[in-house]
Amino acid sequence: MKLVPKTALLAALLSAGVIAPSHAADAAAKTYTIAAAPLAEALNRFAADAGVILVFDANLLRGLQSKGLQGKYDLPSGFQALLAGTRYEVVPARSGAYILRERSVPPPAREPASETKPDANMGEITVTASTLPTVDRLDREMIVHMAAINGDITSQLKLNPNVQYDESQLSSLTGGEIAPAEISIHGAKPYQNEMLLDGVSIANDLDPGAKIMAGTADLIPGTAQSLAIDSSILCDIEVKDSNISAEYGRFTGGVVSSKICSARKKLGGSVAVGYTSSAWSKLFIDPNRERDFEQSSSENEQPRFKKWTYKTTVEARPTSEWGVLISAVRKTSDIPLRRFSTSNEGTTESKEVTQKRKQDTLIVKTDYAPAGSPHKGELTLVYAPSANTYFLEDFRDSDYTIEGGGLNLSGKLESRYAPVLLTNQLSYSQNKQSRRGDADYYRRWRWSTDKNWGDPTGATNATSGEGAWGDIDQELKSLEYKLRATFQPQTLGPTRHRVAAGVDLRRQQAEYARLKDQYNYYTVADLPNAIRTCRLTDGTLDTEACSATPSLKGVGQYFRNLMIYHAGSFDLSSHSGAAFIEDDASWGDFSLRVGVRADHDSMAGGSNVAPRVKLGWQAADPLFLDVGVNRYYGRNLFAYALQEKINTLKTTQGRNGTLAWSEPVVAKPLNRLEDLRSPYDDELTLGASYDSELLAGPLALRVTRRNGHDQIVKLLKTRQTECNSNQCYVYTNNGSSKTKDITLSWSNARAFKTGGVATRMWVAINKSDVESNYATYDDVYSTAMLTDELIRYDGKIIRYSEKPADNYNRPWTLRVGAMSTAVAQQLTVSNILRVRGGYQQIVQNGTIVHEGANIRNFEQTNMPRSAAIDTVLHWTPRVHRDQKLDVKLTIENLTNKKNKMTVSDNYVSYERGRTIALEIGYAF
């Protein structure tokens, strides 16, 4: 908990974007169930449940216990009951917060409340209640009430002006997917954000850039998050996107930090079921592709789907000292698709197959805080596996399952001593990115009466495919220890200093294993007369790679080449360490935070030093200015090194005019590593925040510039004799980016009261300009990118690196959020309006001659701006005592706006129209 001087309280609340209810809400009585606990925790719980900010010196209440609170209370009587028998009381402040002080101080007059002032002799104070929702920090109420049909962490960040989503996230074509949303912060790639869950990373360090690729035998698709966590169990989500403390590393975008709720009730819980489907969604499809879409045989076009979510939570606090919470969530999606792109009435093969998506989350969290002890501990278990089924289009026996997710286990101990707060955390993670296939072979035959399950209408090119890509396990195990020390403020002359320091040690081991041999037959050819019966020299028939039945070309067929992906495994390990120290100093109206972080990663070699500096100035009572200069180092992924070895598990064999295979030839590496450096971003940021009674809340303006260096890309190099076919894909540091973001945001300082309805609001406007010379590390980096050649873009001659990024790059966005609560009706209505500027789709269109040389010509198609209103109606009527019904109706794109996504020569792609989801639960 952060101590701040009394004079800086309003500035702190302003910079945090705190939104507090009006003191007029004092009269509204509510029913509370607060178990016995340390007094500070009981007050914090009461303030959070009441939706107010409580400010006090936590040291004053050390050792004091509360009997809890049971029954119906308004704010004054609730605080009075909790503080009964102590020498303290709570009074309102003009800022909208409430302040705890000793009763010996004469209480201010209750009327008018707006004139009440905090005690001038309070000294240092502590903000202990969770802050109310802002655009960059979501509390429990915000998480519960705002629209996010899939319920993942990143889908909750729609109001944050510095978060941009993958353009395909809202596509009408893939509404059945349930994977977490991919986001970019300040133009960085999604896999270069650090994702923290209770302080433990859930970012995918294995291979997050690989996506669904039906024709890839070696690589397994992955996402930026290693664990798909349902946000219903979270109490806090915060996005750190600029001026980020030296405590945090392993990112070039930002940090998304989330916290799992602790048990709060003596005994309670909830159950809920949620549903949505294609029938509850308006899928906008170009008329030119409607027929193909409705008869889709590809996971990239999903005309029908059904999604179910099942949730249950049980929590208990047997004593005031410890509690335990258990939560289980299952999400499923059924996506019926045709196995074959065309009908074939002459085969008995399945006409329709249902692909499935499944995510499970089991969380167990317990906390223990002995009365009167300086120690507080917690243990958290998170088990979140996923399993998604697919098949190869136009292939039989081709079903396969992609398995992901895994386990996080962490323990944290906080020890509060007079000079320092020590936090120790030890965690273990085990994450998968694996595949299980139905078959250990892959063959694409020519169509014949013997091989008749494919499409015979393709003339001489008609084929019948069978098989899949085999079983692969990829797993990453991580062991991490963190130590953080936060020292009590010290005064040195006119300055006051708060110093924090810490270390982070991590050991990781990645394993790649192919569980059994997989046979890939290719290069089908006419069967020569000499072997027309497919009989081997031992008298048996070659049924695996030869067919004597004439194909549409009039002769039999056989495969001339065989690639065997042999069973085998290899592993890689790395160790990394980091240390930081930071001093947050203040003097007069100025503040200066100076920090430095040093990282070492054995995968990259060498050490990195990242300075972090932020200077602040309280220029006037309502105006606060700051400037920051920072460097952020990202992380290197195991994908680079793993892919260097994968190809060595393969052998190739051939035959020509005979059924006898040649001797196996071991394949050379297909990928190679150079001496990689860690990617990094340099940041310059300027900010201003202004608060006044006229604005009714803080107004903040921020300009952020990022220059990305040494980013990882894959380059194809020839004349590499140690590589397969004398060429290698080499990972290098040739990637770069430039980003400029301007954001303006406002939050009302207290809820607007209209009758019995209280409304909170948020407004954020962002202007963004992102340039990047690559898409992901998994794409091949061209010669034009390497040499930064001249190109023509939108009629102008520029360098390739100056071409705008073609994803996560809306030029401007407007986001408006409102949450209205009618307490008497137990109803909350939330709305988010998102307007995104016209998107520039970039396509290559041939070449032009410039100064006697051919250069590539890029053109842009200007997509119109898109707009959508997402609405949630959340009704929680009380049934009996602490039991209540929980009904949540979510409507995304309420007005059914038809928003374009992409345009090609053949068709237009659109975002989903109005989409409805219903969740019904019961809490006790």
Side-chain angles (χ1 to χ4, degrees):
M1 301 181 206
K2 184 176 180 181
L3 294 175
V4 292
K6 170 179 66 71
T7 56
L9 171 61
L10 293 180
L13 294 175
L14 170 64
S15 63
V18 169
I19 304 172
S22 167
H23 295 145
D26 286 358
K30 294 172 60 179
T31 300
Y32 297 90
T33 304
I34 300 176
L39 181 57
E41 292 187 16
L43 287 169
N44 186 26
R45 164 73 188 278
F46 178 72
D49 286 353
V52 299
I53 297 298
L54 177 62
V55 181
F56 64 93
D57 183 355
N59 292 323
L60 296 176
L61 305 183
R62 177 169 293 180
L64 297 180
Q65 291 292 116
S66 168
K67 297 179 179 179
L69 196 65
Q70 307 288 330
K72 195 169 186 178
Y73 295 86
D74 59 15
L75 276 175
S77 63
F79 281 126
Q80 185 177 1
L82 287 170
L83 294 170
T86 72
R87 63 177 186 272
Y88 301 106
E89 65 180 354
V90 169
V91 297
R94 185 175 60 182
S95 67
Y98 287 80
I99 295 177
L100 180 139
R101 67 181 188 181
E102 293 190 40
R103 295 182 190 276
S104 57
V105 179
R110 289 283 298 165
E111 298 293 337
S114 60
E115 294 300 321
T116 305
K117 297 182 179 180
D119 175 25
N121 299 315
M122 282 187 63
E124 293 192 299
I125 52 182
T126 301
V127 179
T128 64
S130 299
T131 60
L132 292 171
T134 69
V135 295
D136 55 8
R137 184 167 188 173
L138 287 66
D139 74 351
R140 176 67 179 165
E141 189 174 7
M142 186 76 154
I143 295 169
V144 168
H145 293 310
M146 286 300 179
I149 284 181
N150 278 353
D152 57 279
I153 296 174
T154 42
S155 289
Q156 296 277 3
L157 307 178
K158 294 177 182 177
L159 275 178
N160 192 296
N162 295 307
V163 169
Q164 295 225 27
Y165 287 85
D166 186 345
E167 286 298 315
S168 64
Q169 193 67 38
L170 297 175
S171 173
S172 284
L173 299 176
T174 53
E177 299 298 336
I178 58 176
E182 302 263 278
I183 63 169
S184 171
I185 298 177
H186 290 308
K189 308 307 178 185
Y191 49 82
Q192 283 294 0
N193 296 319
E194 178 64 298
M195 306 290 299
L196 298 176
L197 180 67
D198 273 10
V200 180
S201 176
I202 59 170
N204 184 354
D205 288 344
L206 200 52
D207 193 2
K211 302 303 176 185
I212 293 291
M213 293 172 291
T216 300
D218 297 323
L219 305 180
I220 314 299
T223 59
Q225 298 175 47
S226 62
L227 302 182
I229 303 299
D230 188 81
S231 61
S232 64
I233 199 61
L234 303 178
C235 279
D236 183 87
I237 305 174
E238 182 178 8
V239 178
K240 305 175 189 295
D241 65 81
S242 60
N243 283 326
I244 302 172
S245 166
E247 177 182 357
Y248 300 96
R250 291 171 26 96
F251 68 92
T252 57
V255 179
V256 180
S257 178
S258 54
K259 183 179 180 182
I260 300 171
C261 297
S262 297
R264 303 174 71 178
K265 297 181 179 179
K266 188 172 184 180
L267 179 63
S270 63
V271 294
V273 177
Y275 176 78
T276 186
S277 71
S278 53
W280 291 15
S281 304
K282 175 59 178 176
L283 305 180
F284 291 117
I285 305 298
D286 191 308
N288 292 330
R289 72 187 304 186
E290 269 188 355
R291 183 178 180 278
D292 291 340
F293 178 73
E294 290 298 326
Q295 299 179 1
S296 172
S297 55
S298 168
E299 70 271 6
N300 297 318
E301 296 182 351
Q302 302 170 3
R304 294 173 298 281
F305 59 84
K306 292 181 180 180
K307 296 182 182 180
W308 289 92
T309 301
Y310 310 91
K311 304 177 183 178
T312 182
T313 300
V314 177
E315 58 181 307
R317 298 207 72 85
T319 72
S320 61
E321 297 181 337
W322 76 277
V324 61
L325 179 143
I326 303 174
S327 172
V329 178
R330 167 163 287 186
K331 299 179 185 178
T332 65
S333 179
D334 292 346
I335 308 168
L337 296 169
R338 296 163 58 97
R339 185 179 291 276
F340 295 95
S341 57
T342 58
S343 297
N344 181 1
E345 301 300 333
T347 180
T348 58
E349 295 298 321
S350 172
K351 297 297 192 304
E352 185 173 272
V353 178
T354 298
Q355 292 191 359
K356 295 182 178 292
R357 312 287 188 261
K358 184 177 72 172
Q359 294 174 358
D360 290 331
T361 306
L362 173 65
I363 292 176
V364 181
K365 182 173 183 176
T366 181
D367 62 276
Y368 181 58
S373 171
H375 306 293
K376 177 181 179 180
E378 63 181 39
L379 289 172
T380 305
L381 166 69
V382 180
Y383 179 57
S386 65
N388 302 327
T389 65
Y390 303 89
F391 57 81
L392 300 185
E393 186 180 17
D394 291 327
F395 273 62
R396 74 173 188 178
D397 303 326
S398 65
D399 292 348
Y400 64 96
T401 301
I402 301 298
E403 299 177 347
L407 170 74
N408 273 16
L409 178 63
S410 67
K412 183 166 67 173
L413 176 66
E414 290 184 0
S415 302
R416 185 179 297 275
Y417 302 105
V420 64
L421 171 64
L422 291 178
T423 303
N424 290 271
Q425 185 170 35
L426 181 66
S427 63
Y428 172 77
S429 302
Q430 186 174 348
N431 303 311
K432 294 178 64 177
Q433 194 169 322
S434 303
R435 179 181 63 214
R436 293 292 183 270
D438 272 4
D440 59 0
Y441 54 84
Y442 178 93
R443 296 185 283 256
R444 188 188 291 271
W445 299 95
R446 294 170 179 168
W447 192 94
S448 70
T449 56
D450 180 39
K451 314 297 182 184
N452 65 348
W453 55 85
D455 176 17
T457 63
T460 57
N461 293 323
T463 62
S464 291
E466 61 179 344
W469 290 118
D471 299 348
I472 292 176
D473 271 350
Q474 289 185 118
E475 190 172 55
L476 178 64
K477 299 176 182 178
S478 303
L479 182 66
E480 182 180 17
Y481 170 71
K482 290 182 178 180
L483 170 65
R484 188 180 193 275
T486 304
F487 296 90
Q488 289 291 333
Q490 300 294 324
T491 300
L492 297 176
T495 64
R496 191 160 180 81
H497 301 262
R498 173 180 289 276
V499 176
V503 295
D504 183 350
L505 305 175
R506 186 189 307 262
R507 171 78 176 178
Q508 294 181 294
Q509 182 171 356
E511 182 179 9
Y512 180 99
R514 183 172 285 276
L515 305 186
K516 56 185 178 181
D517 290 354
Q518 199 274 342
Y519 301 86
N520 176 16
Y521 298 92
Y522 62 103
T523 315
V524 66
D526 293 341
L527 188 63
N529 287 333
I531 53 174
R532 63 181 182 275
T533 62
C534 293
R535 192 169 298 277
L536 298 168
T537 56
D538 61 2
T540 61
L541 293 178
D542 180 0
T543 58
E544 297 293 326
C546 184
S547 173
T549 304
S551 68
L552 294 179
K553 296 185 72 173
V555 294
Q557 57 186 311
Y558 79 122
F559 289 99
R560 290 172 45 193
N561 291 289
L562 169 62
M563 181 177 291
I564 303 178
Y565 298 85
H566 291 275
S569 65
F570 53 86
D571 57 59
L572 299 167
S573 61
S574 76
H575 59 271
S576 60
F580 80 93
I581 186 168
E582 192 166 71
D583 180 17
D584 199 344
S586 62
W587 70 100
D589 293 328
F590 292 91
S591 61
L592 177 64
R593 188 185 70 194
V594 178
V596 63
R597 181 182 180 91
D599 291 90
H600 174 81
D601 186 345
S602 63
M603 288 182 65
S607 299
N608 303 312
V609 178
R612 314 274 176 91
V613 180
K614 177 187 174 183
L615 174 65
W617 176 36
Q618 192 72 49
D621 183 42
L623 178 63
F624 182 81
L625 306 174
D626 67 75
V627 58
V629 180
N630 305 282
R631 173 169 289 187
Y632 309 121
Y633 277 95
R635 61 190 188 279
N636 287 299
L637 305 172
F638 279 90
Y640 316 145
L642 288 175
Q643 290 183 25
E644 185 178 24
K645 296 186 176 183
I646 287 174
N647 211 53
T648 60
L649 294 177
K650 295 187 294 190
T651 61
T652 57
Q653 296 171 257
R655 60 186 182 180
N656 190 2
T658 176
L659 294 179
W661 293 105
S662 64
E663 288 298 317
V665 176
V666 178
K668 295 180 180 180
L670 189 61
N671 295 275
R672 182 169 59 79
L673 282 175
E674 289 188 341
D675 293 332
L676 288 179
R677 301 178 298 277
S678 297
Y680 68 94
D681 269 28
D682 285 329
E683 174 186 82
L684 173 63
T685 178
L686 303 171
S689 58
Y690 187 85
D691 189 17
S692 71
E693 293 293 334
L694 179 64
L695 295 178
L699 180 69
L701 174 67
R702 182 160 300 281
V703 179
T704 304
R705 295 188 67 101
R706 292 274 191 92
N707 289 329
H709 307 276
D710 287 348
Q711 296 172 13
I712 310 299
V713 296
K714 186 163 63 176
L715 178 66
L716 179 62
K717 289 189 176 182
T718 57
R719 299 179 182 177
Q720 307 290 308
T721 57
E722 74 279 15
C723 293
N724 197 51
S725 300
N726 292 325
Q727 61 182 19
C728 253
Y729 294 104
V730 181
Y731 288 101
T732 71
N733 288 104
N734 290 109
S736 63
S737 63
K738 293 181 180 179
T739 304
K740 180 179 179 181
D741 279 309
I742 304 174
T743 61
L744 180 68
S745 63
W746 171 83
S747 302
N748 59 324
R750 57 186 65 87
F752 298 127
K753 296 282 289 185
T754 305
V757 178
T759 300
R760 299 170 185 145
M761 292 191 66
W762 310 266
V763 179
I765 304 172
N766 166 267
K767 187 179 185 307
S768 181
D769 183 14
V770 180
E771 296 176 2
S772 179
N773 65 355
Y774 73 108
T776 75
Y777 67 82
D778 202 49
D779 293 334
V780 179
Y781 196 74
S782 69
T783 303
M785 302 174 185
L786 182 66
T787 59
D788 204 13
E789 293 178 355
L790 292 174
I791 63 170
R792 186 172 79 163
Y793 167 70
D794 195 27
K796 300 177 181 177
I797 305 300
I798 62 172
R799 293 289 178 184
Y800 188 92
S801 62
E802 298 171 344
K803 180 173 67 70
D806 58 359
N807 199 358
Y808 307 101
N809 191 21
R810 292 280 183 167
W812 62 268
T813 63
L814 167 66
R815 315 176 196 214
V816 180
M819 184 166 63
S820 300
T821 301
V823 177
Q825 290 75 32
Q826 294 89 45
L827 177 66
T828 298
V829 179
S830 302
N831 293 280
I832 296 178
L833 167 65
R834 291 177 299 123
V835 182
R836 291 167 292 159
Y839 175 62
Q840 296 178 343
Q841 181 188 347
I842 301 171
V843 294
Q844 183 178 348
N845 185 13
T847 61
I848 67 164
V849 177
H850 174 70
E851 296 181 351
N854 285 328
I855 64 173
R856 291 191 292 169
N857 179 47
F858 290 87
E859 296 177 352
Q860 69 176 31
T861 301
N862 292 320
M863 297 288 98
R865 70 171 177 264
S866 64
I869 298 175
D870 299 337
T871 298
V872 175
L873 286 77
H874 197 177
W875 183 45
T876 56
R878 192 172 303 278
V879 177
H880 178 68
R881 294 185 178 178
D882 293 335
Q883 302 174 37
K884 58 184 180 180
L885 193 64
D886 193 324
V887 181
K888 184 176 181 180
L889 180 68
T890 302
I891 309 174
E892 292 188 345
N893 197 353
L894 176 68
T895 60
N896 206 32
K897 179 74 172 176
K898 192 174 184 178
N899 295 316
K900 287 184 179 180
M901 278 178 44
T902 60
V903 173
S904 69
D905 293 337
N906 300 317
Y907 50 77
V908 179
S909 296
Y910 298 93
E911 295 177 2
R912 288 190 296 278
R914 184 184 298 113
T915 302
I916 300 172
L918 177 64
E919 182 178 296
I920 299 177
Y922 196 83
F924 56 92

